[in-house]
PDB file of all heavy atoms in Angstrom:
ATOM      1  N   ASP A   3      -7.882  -9.313  14.913  1.00 77.00           N
ATOM      2  CA  ASP A   3      -6.467  -8.973  14.738  1.00 77.00           C
ATOM      3  C   ASP A   3      -6.313  -7.459  14.785  1.00 77.00           C
ATOM      4  O   ASP A   3      -7.196  -6.718  14.369  1.00 77.00           O
ATOM      5  CB  ASP A   3      -5.975  -9.487  13.373  1.00 77.00           C
ATOM      6  CG  ASP A   3      -5.911 -11.001  13.342  1.00 77.00           C
ATOM      7  OD1 ASP A   3      -5.688 -11.603  14.391  1.00 77.00           O
ATOM      8  OD2 ASP A   3      -6.094 -11.575  12.253  1.00 77.00           O
ATOM      9  N   PRO A   4      -5.155  -6.990  15.294  1.00 90.00           N
ATOM     10  CA  PRO A   4      -4.961  -5.538  15.336  1.00 90.00           C
ATOM     11  C   PRO A   4      -4.906  -4.930  13.942  1.00 90.00           C
ATOM     12  O   PRO A   4      -4.464  -5.571  12.985  1.00 90.00           O
ATOM     13  CB  PRO A   4      -3.625  -5.375  16.067  1.00 90.00           C
ATOM     14  CG  PRO A   4      -2.977  -6.719  16.048  1.00 90.00           C
ATOM     15  CD  PRO A   4      -4.058  -7.733  15.887  1.00 90.00           C
ATOM     16  N   LEU A   5      -5.380  -3.714  13.828  1.00 96.00           N
ATOM     17  CA  LEU A   5      -5.381  -2.993  12.562  1.00 96.00           C
ATOM     18  C   LEU A   5      -3.946  -2.775  12.082  1.00 96.00           C
ATOM     19  O   LEU A   5      -3.079  -2.376  12.855  1.00 96.00           O
ATOM     20  CB  LEU A   5      -6.073  -1.647  12.750  1.00 96.00           C
ATOM     21  CG  LEU A   5      -6.201  -0.779  11.500  1.00 96.00           C
ATOM     22  CD1 LEU A   5      -7.365  -1.265  10.640  1.00 96.00           C
ATOM     23  CD2 LEU A   5      -6.408   0.690  11.886  1.00 96.00           C
ATOM     24  N   ILE A   6      -3.726  -3.016  10.786  1.00 98.00           N
ATOM     25  CA  ILE A   6      -2.416  -2.764  10.168  1.00 98.00           C
ATOM     26  C   ILE A   6      -2.449  -1.363   9.555  1.00 98.00           C
ATOM     27  O   ILE A   6      -3.340  -1.043   8.773  1.00 98.00           O
ATOM     28  CB  ILE A   6      -2.131  -3.800   9.059  1.00 98.00           C
ATOM     29  CG1 ILE A   6      -2.154  -5.222   9.620  1.00 98.00           C
ATOM     30  CG2 ILE A   6      -0.793  -3.514   8.370  1.00 98.00           C
ATOM     31  CD1 ILE A   6      -2.437  -6.282   8.578  1.00 98.00           C
ATOM     32  N   ILE A   7      -1.468  -0.542   9.915  1.00 98.00           N
ATOM     33  CA  ILE A   7      -1.385   0.799   9.343  1.00 98.00           C
ATOM     34  C   ILE A   7      -0.114   0.913   8.512  1.00 98.00           C
ATOM     35  O   ILE A   7       0.982   0.673   9.007  1.00 98.00           O
ATOM     36  CB  ILE A   7      -1.394   1.885  10.433  1.00 98.00           C
ATOM     37  CG1 ILE A   7      -2.689   1.809  11.245  1.00 98.00           C
ATOM     38  CG2 ILE A   7      -1.227   3.273   9.810  1.00 98.00           C
ATOM     39  CD1 ILE A   7      -2.765   2.811  12.393  1.00 98.00           C
ATOM     40  N   LYS A   8      -0.316   1.254   7.234  1.00 98.00           N
ATOM     41  CA  LYS A   8       0.816   1.377   6.297  1.00 98.00           C
ATOM     42  C   LYS A   8       0.895   2.824   5.798  1.00 98.00           C
ATOM     43  O   LYS A   8      -0.081   3.372   5.312  1.00 98.00           O
ATOM     44  CB  LYS A   8       0.638   0.425   5.117  1.00 98.00           C
ATOM     45  CG  LYS A   8       1.665   0.567   4.002  1.00 98.00           C
ATOM     46  CD  LYS A   8       1.550  -0.631   3.060  1.00 98.00           C
ATOM     47  CE  LYS A   8       2.305  -0.423   1.769  1.00 98.00           C
ATOM     48  NZ  LYS A   8       1.471   0.240   0.750  1.00 98.00           N
ATOM     49  N   ILE A   9       2.069   3.410   5.940  1.00 98.00           N
ATOM     50  CA  ILE A   9       2.336   4.746   5.397  1.00 98.00           C
ATOM     51  C   ILE A   9       3.194   4.543   4.158  1.00 98.00           C
ATOM     52  O   ILE A   9       4.302   3.995   4.244  1.00 98.00           O
ATOM     53  CB  ILE A   9       3.070   5.649   6.416  1.00 98.00           C
ATOM     54  CG1 ILE A   9       2.336   5.680   7.764  1.00 98.00           C
ATOM     55  CG2 ILE A   9       3.247   7.060   5.834  1.00 98.00           C
ATOM     56  CD1 ILE A   9       0.986   6.355   7.761  1.00 98.00           C
ATOM     57  N   CYS A  10       2.672   4.950   3.016  1.00 97.00           N
ATOM     58  CA  CYS A  10       3.331   4.649   1.745  1.00 97.00           C
ATOM     59  C   CYS A  10       3.953   5.914   1.139  1.00 97.00           C
ATOM     60  O   CYS A  10       3.490   7.030   1.377  1.00 97.00           O
ATOM     61  CB  CYS A  10       2.322   4.050   0.776  1.00 97.00           C
ATOM     62  SG  CYS A  10       3.104   3.088  -0.531  1.00 97.00           S
ATOM     63  N   GLY A  11       4.992   5.704   0.335  1.00 96.00           N
ATOM     64  CA  GLY A  11       5.610   6.819  -0.367  1.00 96.00           C
ATOM     65  C   GLY A  11       6.653   7.560   0.459  1.00 96.00           C
ATOM     66  O   GLY A  11       6.911   8.734   0.237  1.00 96.00           O
ATOM     67  N   ILE A  12       7.266   6.860   1.416  1.00 97.00           N
ATOM     68  CA  ILE A  12       8.321   7.468   2.236  1.00 97.00           C
ATOM     69  C   ILE A  12       9.610   7.529   1.414  1.00 97.00           C
ATOM     70  O   ILE A  12       9.992   6.550   0.770  1.00 97.00           O
ATOM     71  CB  ILE A  12       8.514   6.647   3.532  1.00 97.00           C
ATOM     72  CG1 ILE A  12       7.244   6.691   4.394  1.00 97.00           C
ATOM     73  CG2 ILE A  12       9.746   7.099   4.304  1.00 97.00           C
ATOM     74  CD1 ILE A  12       6.876   8.054   4.928  1.00 97.00           C
ATOM     75  N   LYS A  13      10.303   8.678   1.479  1.00 97.00           N
ATOM     76  CA  LYS A  13      11.481   8.866   0.623  1.00 97.00           C
ATOM     77  C   LYS A  13      12.769   9.166   1.384  1.00 97.00           C
ATOM     78  O   LYS A  13      13.840   9.075   0.804  1.00 97.00           O
ATOM     79  CB  LYS A  13      11.247  10.023  -0.366  1.00 97.00           C
ATOM     80  CG  LYS A  13      10.132   9.786  -1.357  1.00 97.00           C
ATOM     81  CD  LYS A  13      10.217  10.739  -2.535  1.00 97.00           C
ATOM     82  CE  LYS A  13       9.957  12.177  -2.140  1.00 97.00           C
ATOM     83  NZ  LYS A  13       9.851  13.063  -3.326  1.00 97.00           N
ATOM     84  N   THR A  14      12.658   9.539   2.653  1.00 97.00           N
ATOM     85  CA  THR A  14      13.858   9.958   3.378  1.00 97.00           C
ATOM     86  C   THR A  14      14.001   9.218   4.707  1.00 97.00           C
ATOM     87  O   THR A  14      13.006   8.790   5.298  1.00 97.00           O
ATOM     88  CB  THR A  14      13.812  11.469   3.697  1.00 97.00           C
ATOM     89  OG1 THR A  14      12.737  11.715   4.627  1.00 97.00           O
ATOM     90  CG2 THR A  14      13.607  12.301   2.433  1.00 97.00           C
ATOM     91  N   PRO A  15      15.236   9.093   5.202  1.00 98.00           N
ATOM     92  CA  PRO A  15      15.444   8.478   6.521  1.00 98.00           C
ATOM     93  C   PRO A  15      14.698   9.225   7.626  1.00 98.00           C
ATOM     94  O   PRO A  15      14.171   8.604   8.557  1.00 98.00           O
ATOM     95  CB  PRO A  15      16.961   8.573   6.719  1.00 98.00           C
ATOM     96  CG  PRO A  15      17.528   8.607   5.341  1.00 98.00           C
ATOM     97  CD  PRO A  15      16.523   9.373   4.519  1.00 98.00           C
ATOM     98  N   GLU A  16      14.612  10.568   7.525  1.00 97.00           N
ATOM     99  CA  GLU A  16      13.928  11.355   8.548  1.00 97.00           C
ATOM    100  C   GLU A  16      12.451  10.975   8.639  1.00 97.00           C
ATOM    101  O   GLU A  16      11.899  10.791   9.727  1.00 97.00           O
ATOM    102  CB  GLU A  16      14.047  12.861   8.241  1.00 97.00           C
ATOM    103  CG  GLU A  16      15.455  13.413   8.311  1.00 97.00           C
ATOM    104  CD  GLU A  16      16.309  13.046   7.087  1.00 97.00           C
ATOM    105  OE1 GLU A  16      15.736  12.753   6.013  1.00 97.00           O
ATOM    106  OE2 GLU A  16      17.543  13.041   7.222  1.00 97.00           O
ATOM    107  N   LEU A  17      11.798  10.856   7.469  1.00 96.00           N
ATOM    108  CA  LEU A  17      10.381  10.490   7.470  1.00 96.00           C
ATOM    109  C   LEU A  17      10.170   9.039   7.881  1.00 96.00           C
ATOM    110  O   LEU A  17       9.152   8.703   8.483  1.00 96.00           O
ATOM    111  CB  LEU A  17       9.763  10.761   6.102  1.00 96.00           C
ATOM    112  CG  LEU A  17       9.399  12.232   5.882  1.00 96.00           C
ATOM    113  CD1 LEU A  17       9.060  12.473   4.414  1.00 96.00           C
ATOM    114  CD2 LEU A  17       8.232  12.656   6.764  1.00 96.00           C
ATOM    115  N   LEU A  18      11.122   8.199   7.569  1.00 98.00           N
ATOM    116  CA  LEU A  18      11.047   6.811   8.031  1.00 98.00           C
ATOM    117  C   LEU A  18      11.057   6.788   9.558  1.00 98.00           C
ATOM    118  O   LEU A  18      10.241   6.094  10.185  1.00 98.00           O
ATOM    119  CB  LEU A  18      12.217   6.007   7.465  1.00 98.00           C
ATOM    120  CG  LEU A  18      12.336   4.565   7.974  1.00 98.00           C
ATOM    121  CD1 LEU A  18      11.108   3.745   7.626  1.00 98.00           C
ATOM    122  CD2 LEU A  18      13.586   3.905   7.392  1.00 98.00           C
ATOM    123  N   GLU A  19      11.945   7.566  10.167  1.00 98.00           N
ATOM    124  CA  GLU A  19      12.018   7.629  11.632  1.00 98.00           C
ATOM    125  C   GLU A  19      10.713   8.168  12.222  1.00 98.00           C
ATOM    126  O   GLU A  19      10.222   7.660  13.235  1.00 98.00           O
ATOM    127  CB  GLU A  19      13.203   8.508  12.070  1.00 98.00           C
ATOM    128  CG  GLU A  19      14.576   7.939  11.730  1.00 98.00           C
ATOM    129  CD  GLU A  19      14.888   6.611  12.411  1.00 98.00           C
ATOM    130  OE1 GLU A  19      14.251   6.274  13.430  1.00 98.00           O
ATOM    131  OE2 GLU A  19      15.770   5.883  11.911  1.00 98.00           O
ATOM    132  N   THR A  20      10.152   9.189  11.582  1.00 96.00           N
ATOM    133  CA  THR A  20       8.868   9.748  12.033  1.00 96.00           C
ATOM    134  C   THR A  20       7.786   8.679  12.011  1.00 96.00           C
ATOM    135  O   THR A  20       6.990   8.542  12.959  1.00 96.00           O
ATOM    136  CB  THR A  20       8.448  10.922  11.114  1.00 96.00           C
ATOM    137  OG1 THR A  20       9.337  12.003  11.318  1.00 96.00           O
ATOM    138  CG2 THR A  20       7.023  11.374  11.396  1.00 96.00           C
ATOM    139  N   THR A  21       7.736   7.915  10.920  1.00 97.00           N
ATOM    140  CA  THR A  21       6.707   6.896  10.731  1.00 97.00           C
ATOM    141  C   THR A  21       6.834   5.775  11.760  1.00 97.00           C
ATOM    142  O   THR A  21       5.833   5.299  12.315  1.00 97.00           O
ATOM    143  CB  THR A  21       6.785   6.344   9.296  1.00 97.00           C
ATOM    144  OG1 THR A  21       6.609   7.435   8.382  1.00 97.00           O
ATOM    145  CG2 THR A  21       5.729   5.303   9.021  1.00 97.00           C
ATOM    146  N   ILE A  22       8.069   5.373  12.027  1.00 98.00           N
ATOM    147  CA  ILE A  22       8.302   4.330  13.044  1.00 98.00           C
ATOM    148  C   ILE A  22       7.900   4.850  14.421  1.00 98.00           C
ATOM    149  O   ILE A  22       7.184   4.179  15.176  1.00 98.00           O
ATOM    150  CB  ILE A  22       9.775   3.879  13.024  1.00 98.00           C
ATOM    151  CG1 ILE A  22      10.089   3.144  11.712  1.00 98.00           C
ATOM    152  CG2 ILE A  22      10.075   2.976  14.226  1.00 98.00           C
ATOM    153  CD1 ILE A  22      11.570   2.842  11.493  1.00 98.00           C
ATOM    154  N   ALA A  23       8.344   6.072  14.746  1.00 98.00           N
ATOM    155  CA  ALA A  23       8.058   6.646  16.063  1.00 98.00           C
ATOM    156  C   ALA A  23       6.562   6.846  16.284  1.00 98.00           C
ATOM    157  O   ALA A  23       6.069   6.732  17.414  1.00 98.00           O
ATOM    158  CB  ALA A  23       8.794   7.978  16.223  1.00 98.00           C
ATOM    159  N   ALA A  24       5.827   7.129  15.203  1.00 97.00           N
ATOM    160  CA  ALA A  24       4.382   7.369  15.316  1.00 97.00           C
ATOM    161  C   ALA A  24       3.591   6.070  15.479  1.00 97.00           C
ATOM    162  O   ALA A  24       2.391   6.105  15.755  1.00 97.00           O
ATOM    163  CB  ALA A  24       3.887   8.132  14.094  1.00 97.00           C
ATOM    164  N   GLY A  25       4.247   4.930  15.254  1.00 97.00           N
ATOM    165  CA  GLY A  25       3.593   3.655  15.530  1.00 97.00           C
ATOM    166  C   GLY A  25       2.977   2.940  14.345  1.00 97.00           C
ATOM    167  O   GLY A  25       2.090   2.099  14.516  1.00 97.00           O
ATOM    168  N   ALA A  26       3.435   3.252  13.121  1.00 98.00           N
ATOM    169  CA  ALA A  26       2.934   2.523  11.952  1.00 98.00           C
ATOM    170  C   ALA A  26       3.435   1.079  11.983  1.00 98.00           C
ATOM    171  O   ALA A  26       4.440   0.766  12.635  1.00 98.00           O
ATOM    172  CB  ALA A  26       3.385   3.209  10.670  1.00 98.00           C
ATOM    173  N   ASP A  27       2.734   0.202  11.272  1.00 98.00           N
ATOM    174  CA  ASP A  27       3.130  -1.212  11.187  1.00 98.00           C
ATOM    175  C   ASP A  27       3.962  -1.500   9.948  1.00 98.00           C
ATOM    176  O   ASP A  27       4.788  -2.409   9.938  1.00 98.00           O
ATOM    177  CB  ASP A  27       1.883  -2.099  11.142  1.00 98.00           C
ATOM    178  CG  ASP A  27       1.007  -1.882  12.355  1.00 98.00           C
ATOM    179  OD1 ASP A  27       1.411  -2.296  13.454  1.00 98.00           O
ATOM    180  OD2 ASP A  27      -0.071  -1.270  12.201  1.00 98.00           O
ATOM    181  N   MET A  28       3.684  -0.741   8.880  1.00 98.00           N
ATOM    182  CA  MET A  28       4.360  -0.974   7.602  1.00 98.00           C
ATOM    183  C   MET A  28       4.724   0.362   6.975  1.00 98.00           C
ATOM    184  O   MET A  28       4.014   1.360   7.165  1.00 98.00           O
ATOM    185  CB  MET A  28       3.447  -1.711   6.605  1.00 98.00           C
ATOM    186  CG  MET A  28       2.983  -3.062   7.010  1.00 98.00           C
ATOM    187  SD  MET A  28       1.951  -3.808   5.690  1.00 98.00           S
ATOM    188  CE  MET A  28       3.210  -4.349   4.536  1.00 98.00           C
ATOM    189  N   VAL A  29       5.797   0.350   6.219  1.00 98.00           N
ATOM    190  CA  VAL A  29       6.173   1.530   5.457  1.00 98.00           C
ATOM    191  C   VAL A  29       6.347   1.113   4.001  1.00 98.00           C
ATOM    192  O   VAL A  29       6.856   0.031   3.708  1.00 98.00           O
ATOM    193  CB  VAL A  29       7.456   2.175   6.035  1.00 98.00           C
ATOM    194  CG1 VAL A  29       8.639   1.225   5.971  1.00 98.00           C
ATOM    195  CG2 VAL A  29       7.778   3.481   5.342  1.00 98.00           C
ATOM    196  N   GLY A  30       5.860   1.963   3.095  1.00 98.00           N
ATOM    197  CA  GLY A  30       5.949   1.651   1.671  1.00 98.00           C
ATOM    198  C   GLY A  30       6.909   2.586   0.964  1.00 98.00           C
ATOM    199  O   GLY A  30       6.931   3.798   1.223  1.00 98.00           O
ATOM    200  N   PHE A  31       7.703   2.013   0.071  1.00 98.00           N
ATOM    201  CA  PHE A  31       8.638   2.779  -0.758  1.00 98.00           C
ATOM    202  C   PHE A  31       8.263   2.571  -2.223  1.00 98.00           C
ATOM    203  O   PHE A  31       8.128   1.431  -2.679  1.00 98.00           O
ATOM    204  CB  PHE A  31      10.077   2.311  -0.535  1.00 98.00           C
ATOM    205  CG  PHE A  31      10.508   2.276   0.913  1.00 98.00           C
ATOM    206  CD1 PHE A  31      10.909   1.079   1.493  1.00 98.00           C
ATOM    207  CD2 PHE A  31      10.506   3.428   1.694  1.00 98.00           C
ATOM    208  CE1 PHE A  31      11.315   1.032   2.821  1.00 98.00           C
ATOM    209  CE2 PHE A  31      10.894   3.387   3.029  1.00 98.00           C
ATOM    210  CZ  PHE A  31      11.303   2.186   3.598  1.00 98.00           C
ATOM    211  N   MET A  32       8.105   3.650  -2.959  1.00 97.00           N
ATOM    212  CA  MET A  32       7.734   3.572  -4.376  1.00 97.00           C
ATOM    213  C   MET A  32       8.976   3.451  -5.247  1.00 97.00           C
ATOM    214  O   MET A  32       9.853   4.318  -5.184  1.00 97.00           O
ATOM    215  CB  MET A  32       7.015   4.859  -4.812  1.00 97.00           C
ATOM    216  CG  MET A  32       5.598   5.023  -4.347  1.00 97.00           C
ATOM    217  SD  MET A  32       4.405   3.936  -5.125  1.00 97.00           S
ATOM    218  CE  MET A  32       4.718   4.145  -6.858  1.00 97.00           C
ATOM    219  N   HIS A  33       9.030   2.397  -6.047  1.00 97.00           N
ATOM    220  CA  HIS A  33      10.103   2.296  -7.042  1.00 97.00           C
ATOM    221  C   HIS A  33       9.433   2.306  -8.422  1.00 97.00           C
ATOM    222  O   HIS A  33       9.179   1.270  -9.026  1.00 97.00           O
ATOM    223  CB  HIS A  33      10.928   1.033  -6.816  1.00 97.00           C
ATOM    224  CG  HIS A  33      12.113   0.931  -7.728  1.00 97.00           C
ATOM    225  ND1 HIS A  33      13.102   1.887  -7.780  1.00 97.00           N
ATOM    226  CD2 HIS A  33      12.471  -0.012  -8.640  1.00 97.00           C
ATOM    227  CE1 HIS A  33      14.013   1.542  -8.685  1.00 97.00           C
ATOM    228  NE2 HIS A  33      13.650   0.390  -9.218  1.00 97.00           N
ATOM    229  N   PHE A  34       9.111   3.507  -8.861  1.00 94.00           N
ATOM    230  CA  PHE A  34       8.364   3.701 -10.110  1.00 94.00           C
ATOM    231  C   PHE A  34       8.648   5.127 -10.561  1.00 94.00           C
ATOM    232  O   PHE A  34       8.211   6.091  -9.932  1.00 94.00           O
ATOM    233  CB  PHE A  34       6.866   3.481  -9.855  1.00 94.00           C
ATOM    234  CG  PHE A  34       5.984   3.679 -11.053  1.00 94.00           C
ATOM    235  CD1 PHE A  34       6.179   2.934 -12.210  1.00 94.00           C
ATOM    236  CD2 PHE A  34       4.943   4.606 -11.021  1.00 94.00           C
ATOM    237  CE1 PHE A  34       5.348   3.113 -13.322  1.00 94.00           C
ATOM    238  CE2 PHE A  34       4.114   4.792 -12.122  1.00 94.00           C
ATOM    239  CZ  PHE A  34       4.326   4.037 -13.279  1.00 94.00           C
ATOM    240  N   SER A  35       9.385   5.248 -11.638  1.00 92.00           N
ATOM    241  CA  SER A  35       9.975   6.544 -11.994  1.00 92.00           C
ATOM    242  C   SER A  35       8.955   7.652 -12.255  1.00 92.00           C
ATOM    243  O   SER A  35       9.262   8.828 -12.084  1.00 92.00           O
ATOM    244  CB  SER A  35      10.895   6.380 -13.201  1.00 92.00           C
ATOM    245  OG  SER A  35      10.172   5.867 -14.301  1.00 92.00           O
ATOM    246  N   ARG A  36       7.737   7.298 -12.661  1.00 90.00           N
ATOM    247  CA  ARG A  36       6.754   8.351 -12.950  1.00 90.00           C
ATOM    248  C   ARG A  36       6.087   8.900 -11.690  1.00 90.00           C
ATOM    249  O   ARG A  36       5.329   9.867 -11.758  1.00 90.00           O
ATOM    250  CB  ARG A  36       5.669   7.827 -13.911  1.00 90.00           C
ATOM    251  CG  ARG A  36       6.197   7.559 -15.313  1.00 90.00           C
ATOM    252  CD  ARG A  36       5.129   7.806 -16.377  1.00 90.00           C
ATOM    253  NE  ARG A  36       3.959   6.959 -16.241  1.00 90.00           N
ATOM    254  CZ  ARG A  36       3.853   5.739 -16.785  1.00 90.00           C
ATOM    255  NH1 ARG A  36       4.848   5.228 -17.493  1.00 90.00           N
ATOM    256  NH2 ARG A  36       2.752   5.039 -16.644  1.00 90.00           N
ATOM    257  N   SER A  37       6.362   8.303 -10.540  1.00 91.00           N
ATOM    258  CA  SER A  37       5.732   8.758  -9.304  1.00 91.00           C
ATOM    259  C   SER A  37       6.555   9.867  -8.646  1.00 91.00           C
ATOM    260  O   SER A  37       7.783   9.798  -8.618  1.00 91.00           O
ATOM    261  CB  SER A  37       5.613   7.597  -8.311  1.00 91.00           C
ATOM    262  OG  SER A  37       5.195   8.074  -7.044  1.00 91.00           O
ATOM    263  N   PRO A  38       5.880  10.877  -8.071  1.00 92.00           N
ATOM    264  CA  PRO A  38       6.605  11.894  -7.308  1.00 92.00           C
ATOM    265  C   PRO A  38       7.209  11.329  -6.020  1.00 92.00           C
ATOM    266  O   PRO A  38       7.981  12.007  -5.350  1.00 92.00           O
ATOM    267  CB  PRO A  38       5.530  12.947  -6.990  1.00 92.00           C
ATOM    268  CG  PRO A  38       4.230  12.235  -7.093  1.00 92.00           C
ATOM    269  CD  PRO A  38       4.426  11.154  -8.121  1.00 92.00           C
ATOM    270  N   ARG A  39       6.890  10.067  -5.724  1.00 94.00           N
ATOM    271  CA  ARG A  39       7.408   9.416  -4.508  1.00 94.00           C
ATOM    272  C   ARG A  39       8.511   8.396  -4.827  1.00 94.00           C
ATOM    273  O   ARG A  39       8.892   7.607  -3.970  1.00 94.00           O
ATOM    274  CB  ARG A  39       6.247   8.740  -3.764  1.00 94.00           C
ATOM    275  CG  ARG A  39       5.134   9.719  -3.448  1.00 94.00           C
ATOM    276  CD  ARG A  39       3.820   9.083  -3.028  1.00 94.00           C
ATOM    277  NE  ARG A  39       2.788  10.126  -2.951  1.00 94.00           N
ATOM    278  CZ  ARG A  39       2.018  10.486  -3.973  1.00 94.00           C
ATOM    279  NH1 ARG A  39       2.129   9.876  -5.151  1.00 94.00           N
ATOM    280  NH2 ARG A  39       1.135  11.441  -3.823  1.00 94.00           N
ATOM    281  N   HIS A  40       8.993   8.418  -6.054  1.00 96.00           N
ATOM    282  CA  HIS A  40       9.978   7.424  -6.511  1.00 96.00           C
ATOM    283  C   HIS A  40      11.282   7.484  -5.712  1.00 96.00           C
ATOM    284  O   HIS A  40      11.794   8.565  -5.429  1.00 96.00           O
ATOM    285  CB  HIS A  40      10.282   7.673  -7.988  1.00 96.00           C
ATOM    286  CG  HIS A  40      11.409   6.834  -8.535  1.00 96.00           C
ATOM    287  ND1 HIS A  40      11.305   5.471  -8.699  1.00 96.00           N
ATOM    288  CD2 HIS A  40      12.673   7.166  -8.933  1.00 96.00           C
ATOM    289  CE1 HIS A  40      12.449   5.000  -9.205  1.00 96.00           C
ATOM    290  NE2 HIS A  40      13.285   6.006  -9.333  1.00 96.00           N
ATOM    291  N   VAL A  41      11.793   6.307  -5.357  1.00 97.00           N
ATOM    292  CA  VAL A  41      13.145   6.215  -4.798  1.00 97.00           C
ATOM    293  C   VAL A  41      13.958   5.237  -5.632  1.00 97.00           C
ATOM    294  O   VAL A  41      13.447   4.233  -6.127  1.00 97.00           O
ATOM    295  CB  VAL A  41      13.147   5.794  -3.309  1.00 97.00           C
ATOM    296  CG1 VAL A  41      12.652   6.916  -2.416  1.00 97.00           C
ATOM    297  CG2 VAL A  41      12.336   4.544  -3.068  1.00 97.00           C
ATOM    298  N   SER A  42      15.240   5.543  -5.792  1.00 97.00           N
ATOM    299  CA  SER A  42      16.145   4.716  -6.598  1.00 97.00           C
ATOM    300  C   SER A  42      16.487   3.422  -5.850  1.00 97.00           C
ATOM    301  O   SER A  42      16.221   3.282  -4.652  1.00 97.00           O
ATOM    302  CB  SER A  42      17.434   5.486  -6.877  1.00 97.00           C
ATOM    303  OG  SER A  42      18.158   5.644  -5.656  1.00 97.00           O
ATOM    304  N   ILE A  43      17.108   2.500  -6.552  1.00 97.00           N
ATOM    305  CA  ILE A  43      17.540   1.243  -5.933  1.00 97.00           C
ATOM    306  C   ILE A  43      18.516   1.507  -4.790  1.00 97.00           C
ATOM    307  O   ILE A  43      18.423   0.888  -3.722  1.00 97.00           O
ATOM    308  CB  ILE A  43      18.159   0.299  -6.995  1.00 97.00           C
ATOM    309  CG1 ILE A  43      17.052  -0.359  -7.839  1.00 97.00           C
ATOM    310  CG2 ILE A  43      19.022  -0.777  -6.348  1.00 97.00           C
ATOM    311  CD1 ILE A  43      16.212  -1.406  -7.102  1.00 97.00           C
TER     312      ILE A  43
END
Side-chain angles (χ1 to χ4, degrees):
D3 291 330
L5 182 79
I6 301 157
I7 300 177
K8 174 168 167 272
I9 308 293
C10 202
I12 296 295
K13 296 197 293 188
T14 66
E16 295 76 23
L17 280 168
L18 175 61
E19 293 298 340
T20 291
T21 302
I22 293 171
D27 302 289
M28 299 182 78
V29 61
F31 308 119
M32 285 289 309
H33 185 58
F34 179 58
S35 59
R36 291 212 299 273
S37 171
R39 304 166 188 89
H40 173 69
V41 288
S42 68
I43 283 289

